[in-house]
Structure formats: C-alpha cells, structure tokens
Amino acid sequence: MRETAQTGDGVMSELPAFLSRGGEIARIIAAHRWDTTPVGAIETWPPCLCSMISFMLSSNLPITLLWGEDGVMFYNAGYAEIAGRRHPSIMGSKVLEGWPEVASFNRHVLESGFRGESLAFEDQHLVLMRNGVAEDVWLDLDYSPVFDEAGKPAGVLAIVHETTRRHFAEAEAEQNRERLSHALNAAGVIGIWDWHLETGNMFTDERFAEFYSVNAERARHGVPRSEFMAAIHPADRDDVEAHVEAAVADGVDIALEHRLLHADGSIRWVMVRGTGFRDASGRVVRVSGAAVDVTDRRVSDEKRRLLVRELHHRIKNTFAIIGGMVTMTARSVHSVDEMANVLRGRLVALAAAHQLIRPAITAELDEVEQTTFVDLFQAILAPHLVRSDQLVIEAPEIEVGVVAATSLALVLHELATNSTKYGSLSVADGTLTIRGRQAGTSLRLDWIEAGGPPISGPPPHQGFGSRLASMSIAGQLGGEIEFHWQESGLHVVMLIPMERVIR
C-alpha cells in the first residue's frame, strides 16, 4: 500500500509502505531529495533502514536515526520538537553539520556506535543553537547501534528525552530550599516536619533529622516517628507522648518544649509547634510543623531564676546583718550621736563591699567579674589611711565570693576602726601589713600592725568590734580568728575554709 505525498517540486507521489503511518514527518521524508545524500534514493534503501524508520515514526518517544558513517539524520515528530527551528532543515543532513555546536560530542557517538557500542547519558548538559541563540539544554540520551542484514553496524539509533524543564524545576526547588533554610536558620528554626498518622511515618528536612540524630536521606522519604522520639530525653518522653496524643485527639495544635539527649551526652532544648490537617470526615490525618532550638533562652531563663533567688537570699542576709549591728551597737554606745557615727561607718563598709560584689549578684552568672582580696582590702581600708604607703598587701590573687566579701568587709572595717582609734593607723608613722596564703584547705590571713602606740596586753573586756569580727569569721564563714596583743602592735590571724572563700 502506498500513500500520496507532494514532493519538493510540487509533484504528487505515493508514500512507500514503511512511511504510511508517519504523518507530516513521513511526508517530509518522502519529499526529501535523498539521492543527493550518501543514503541514496528511497528506492535503494535496504530493508533494515526502512524497518528502523517505520519503527521510529510509530514511536511516541523522541527518536533520531543517524545512518551511515556520516550520520545522516532521520527523526520523528517527538525529536522535531526538540530540534526547534532547525526542523525541518536538518532532516537528511549529516549530524556533524546539522548540530555543529556539539559536533565533537556527536562524533564520539558515531564512532562508538560503529564499534558496536551503546552509550547512555543522564541529564547531559549541552549548549544548542536550535532557536538561533545559545541555549542551555539538558537531555537523557540512549544510543544503540543498528546492524544491517550482514550483522555489521550501519547506523546509530538515539532515544532523546529532554529534561531541561525538570532540571530548572529542580534547580529552582533547590534554591527555594536554600532560601527556606537560610530563613529558618535566621529565625532560629531547626527544621520542619510532616507526620502522617495512618502510617506513623514522619517526613522531615535535613536539619530537623540531623538534630534528632536520624539519617537525613531516610527522613526525607519517611521514617517511623519512634526514631525521633528516641532522641528525646528519657525524663521528658512520656510527657511529650501524652501531650501529642491529647492534642491529636482534641484536634488542637501541638505546642510543647522538651529536651533532646544527643549521643555525646549534650542536652538541647527544643520548642515544637504543629498544626493538624483533616480529611473529608474531619479526622486529623496529618500534623505538620517546625521545631526551634530554645536552649539559649532556657539557659538564660534558668540564670534569671537563680539570680532572683540569689538576690532574695542576699537581701535577707543584709537585713539580718544590719539588724544585728543595730542591736549590738545600741548595747555598746552611750549616746545617740555615737550610735549614729558607729553605724554610719559600718554601713559605709557594707556599701563598699556591696559595690565590689555587685557584678556577682546582678550580672549573668557566667559573665561575673569576681572580686579579689586585694580589691576588697583596698576598698575597705582606703578611708582609714593617712598615707597610701601605710598599707602593705601581700595576698594572692584569689577571688572572693559574695558571702565571704560581705562578712570580711565588716571584719576589716571593725579592725580598721580600732586601729584608727588605738593602733598603728592612729599615728602618721604607723603601718598595716596584710598577708594572705593558702594553708592546707584554708586561707590564712594575717593582720599585722606596727609603729603604733605600745600595747601592754589585751583590753580588759571584749568590745563590739571584736565580737562582730568573731561572729563574722566563725559564724558566717565557718573559720577561726585569733587576736595576739603584742607590744609592737595587734596581730590578728584568720583561717577561713577555701570552700567558704569563694561562696
């Protein structure tokens, strides 16, 4: 059977049988002057060529047939779409001339095919001029040799599938994922998740999976929710499960915070939010949401709670100290003016100590600027000195805690007040040396006065200052204090446990 077709010179002719089902492309093939090509006139074509063309024209896949060692081109309607504006002019052309911009690539294809080899390329990038301008194109290409009746390679059959749109869609999706990742990261979001209740599987992004110690590639395709639950701190796991079950049952959003226990023993706090999606019957079938790393906020909150408790404790202690000072001062003075002066000095010493330790009870706990003994001694004793060189401090740079600084401030003030009245600081040539060193598990402090009025022995009765000093060192700091009334001057020895020094 033959079909009528119009040739290039307008003459109507019948189509050969092998072209009868090729439509417009078959008519283009029939009308071409093949006698001017290496293939020769249609009447001379071998059966194997006619069979391959018939197969190619009947296929819905984009196919091109490169015949002979010159690779003369035949193709079907699917390939014509890929060829763009080069169709139909490349029909019957040599492939190296029809696609000169990829001649090197096609030469390799022809050489391989005529060696009887097949080739396959997935998402092959080529730059084509199919529409008059350079264009990035991605193709899946499968090349197979075609053999003649004698079993020798006679051509190459190429199945061509353009993946350009898919490539750009995937590239855009990847860009969107990167933008989303940057946005989530800027917002402190760990990642996003999607839980399918019917299967129990969770689908997550890479960041979420890694944070929960789940393989990211598996999580992208869905893994049992139990694998994510395994990363939750054991102490929180039951509460999380109960909260989630109740939220799903009641049809409300999931909103909770819990700890994650990582393999290295580190703990992170996460805030999880999720919203349910219902089917036509109103039943929740999916829950999707995100998780945020709130570890820093949790740590900060805990520090604030500790700070409030610490401030409350310190204020109570301060009022207790002041109350005790008022009571004991009232018992040891003879007039209101004297009581006012004594109390004022002691309160000033407390204020100086507080100014030194203020960062320790108001700053963030891990950013505390600790007070050293040298700082404390200089702050409390400076008002009692006539000359700066009267005071010699030989103490290590040991940090002193809040409790120890408060108690020592009162002791130093009382000792300095007595020295100003009766001891070495009452005369211009007097000196005061303070030495500090570690003695076993305690800190030893020596208060040594020299150059003051001679001392004949201890006073006939213990004054309030001495009692306050003993109460502070022994009662507040769990230490010991001894007074040595030497003729050259007062020598006080204080032993304070190191664990109390830093409190």
Side-chain angles (χ1 to χ4, degrees):
M1 187 178 83
R2 300 179 72 86
E3 182 179 327
T4 301
Q6 183 172 321
T7 63
D9 56 8
V11 178
M12 301 300 293
S13 64
E14 292 183 350
L15 292 176
F18 70 89
L19 296 177
S20 61
R21 289 177 293 183
E24 178 63 26
I25 297 295
R27 286 187 283 275
I28 292 173
I29 293 174
H32 193 73
R33 293 290 304 274
W34 294 103
D35 56 342
T36 63
T37 73
V39 179
I42 290 180
E43 294 79 11
T44 66
W45 290 358
C48 62
L49 173 57
C50 297
S51 296
M52 291 307 303
I53 292 175
S54 178
F55 162 75
M56 176 187 71
L57 293 176
S58 64
S59 175
N60 292 324
L61 298 173
I63 297 177
T64 180
L65 175 63
L66 311 179
W67 194 255
E69 293 186 359
D70 291 320
V72 176
M73 295 186 68
F74 298 86
Y75 53 84
N76 62 8
Y79 186 87
E81 293 183 10
I82 293 175
R85 285 163 50 186
R86 284 193 171 167
H87 168 70
S89 63
I90 59 173
M91 181 70 78
S93 70
K94 298 176 182 179
V95 68
L96 302 186
E97 297 173 355
W99 296 102
E101 64 271 34
V102 288
S104 177
F105 180 85
N106 284 323
R107 184 177 294 110
H108 170 65
V109 169
L110 286 173
E111 292 172 352
S112 298
F114 275 84
R115 289 196 300 267
E117 300 172 0
S118 298
L119 295 174
F121 301 91
E122 184 176 354
D123 236 12
Q124 175 66 45
H125 174 238
L126 298 173
V127 179
L128 303 179
M129 301 286 292
R130 58 183 177 179
N131 292 305
V133 295
E135 184 180 347
D136 287 305
V137 178
W138 283 264
L139 302 164
D140 286 344
L141 302 165
D142 287 280
Y143 297 98
S144 300
V146 176
F147 299 94
D148 62 16
E149 287 79 4
K152 295 181 179 180
V156 177
L157 186 74
I159 299 176
V160 183
H161 175 63
E162 183 167 357
T163 59
T164 303
R165 290 184 179 178
R166 184 188 72 193
H167 177 87
F168 281 122
E170 290 177 352
E172 183 178 4
E174 181 60 28
Q175 273 192 337
N176 290 336
R177 281 193 291 269
E178 288 180 1
R179 293 190 190 104
L180 177 60
S181 178
H182 291 320
L184 294 177
N185 189 54
V189 176
I190 297 168
I192 54 178
W193 52 272
D194 187 21
W195 174 30
H196 293 205
L197 272 65
E198 185 175 351
T199 64
N201 286 341
M202 284 185 68
F203 301 78
T204 79
D205 63 6
E206 181 179 353
R207 289 159 52 87
F208 186 94
E210 290 178 350
F211 211 76
Y212 278 76
S213 303
V214 175
N215 180 272
E217 183 62 24
R218 292 181 58 243
R220 189 165 68 89
H221 299 287
V223 299
R225 178 169 163 268
S226 58
E227 294 191 26
F228 293 93
M229 290 294 295
I232 297 176
H233 195 288
D236 297 347
R237 204 170 291 155
D238 290 343
D239 289 341
V240 170
E241 190 63 43
H243 179 99
V244 171
E245 289 180 358
V248 172
D250 297 339
V252 298
D253 288 350
I254 293 174
L256 57 89
E257 295 184 8
H258 65 74
R259 289 168 292 177
L260 289 179
L261 180 59
H262 291 302
D264 61 1
S266 62
I267 294 176
R268 305 293 294 180
W269 277 95
V270 294
M271 177 177 66
V272 179
R273 296 289 185 270
T275 299
F277 295 89
R278 302 173 184 274
D279 60 14
S281 66
R283 184 171 58 95
V284 176
V285 293
R286 284 177 50 231
V287 184
S288 297
V292 179
D293 185 352
V294 294
T295 304
D296 291 344
R297 193 252 295 163
R298 274 282 188 164
V299 172
S300 179
D301 288 346
E302 180 61 23
K303 288 178 179 178
R304 289 189 183 93
R305 284 192 291 270
L306 290 174
L307 177 60
V308 170
R309 289 200 296 268
E310 182 70 12
L311 284 173
H312 178 68
H313 176 67
R314 298 302 165 212
I315 290 171
K316 284 181 62 177
N317 280 354
T318 301
F319 278 120
I321 291 171
I322 293 174
M325 285 195 309
V326 171
T327 300
M328 296 185 71
T329 303
R331 294 172 181 170
S332 60
V333 298
H334 302 91
S335 68
V336 174
D337 289 341
E338 183 183 1
M339 179 176 178
N341 289 332
V342 172
L343 278 177
R344 184 180 299 111
R346 289 166 181 165
L347 290 174
V348 167
L350 275 179
H354 174 78
Q355 184 64 24
L356 284 174
I357 64 176
R358 178 180 55 80
I361 58 175
T362 58
E364 292 294 340
L365 297 183
D366 60 352
E367 299 175 0
V368 171
E369 295 181 5
Q370 293 283 1
T371 300
T372 66
F373 277 106
V374 175
D375 297 329
L376 182 64
F377 296 156
Q378 290 176 340
I380 301 302
L381 299 176
H384 300 275
L385 302 176
V386 177
R387 306 184 324 274
S388 60
D389 60 356
Q390 279 186 289
L391 176 63
V392 177
I393 301 175
E394 300 172 0
E397 291 291 319
I398 297 177
E399 295 176 347
V400 57
V402 175
V403 174
T406 303
S407 299
L408 281 172
L410 290 175
V411 174
L412 294 173
H413 170 72
E414 294 305 324
L415 292 176
T417 299
N418 287 336
S419 180
T420 302
K421 289 180 178 180
Y422 314 112
S424 63
L425 298 184
S426 66
V427 297
D429 295 331
T431 61
L432 170 61
T433 300
I434 298 178
R435 294 193 180 100
R437 61 184 177 85
Q438 189 166 346
T441 58
S442 297
L443 175 71
R444 172 172 172 149
L445 293 175
D446 289 85
W447 173 286
I448 305 171
E449 297 184 27
I455 298 175
S456 58
H461 63 275
Q462 188 181 32
F464 170 68
S466 299
R467 294 198 304 273
L468 180 60
S470 298
M471 180 181 69
S472 297
I473 296 298
Q476 294 285 335
L477 300 179
E480 301 175 11
I481 185 170
E482 297 178 354
F483 294 87
H484 301 278
W485 306 93
Q486 300 172 354
E487 184 177 354
S488 59
L490 176 62
H491 181 189
V492 182
V493 179
M494 293 169 272
L495 287 172
I496 306 171
M498 286 299 298
E499 62 179 16
R500 297 292 190 94
V501 169
I502 61 176
R503 285 177 51 185

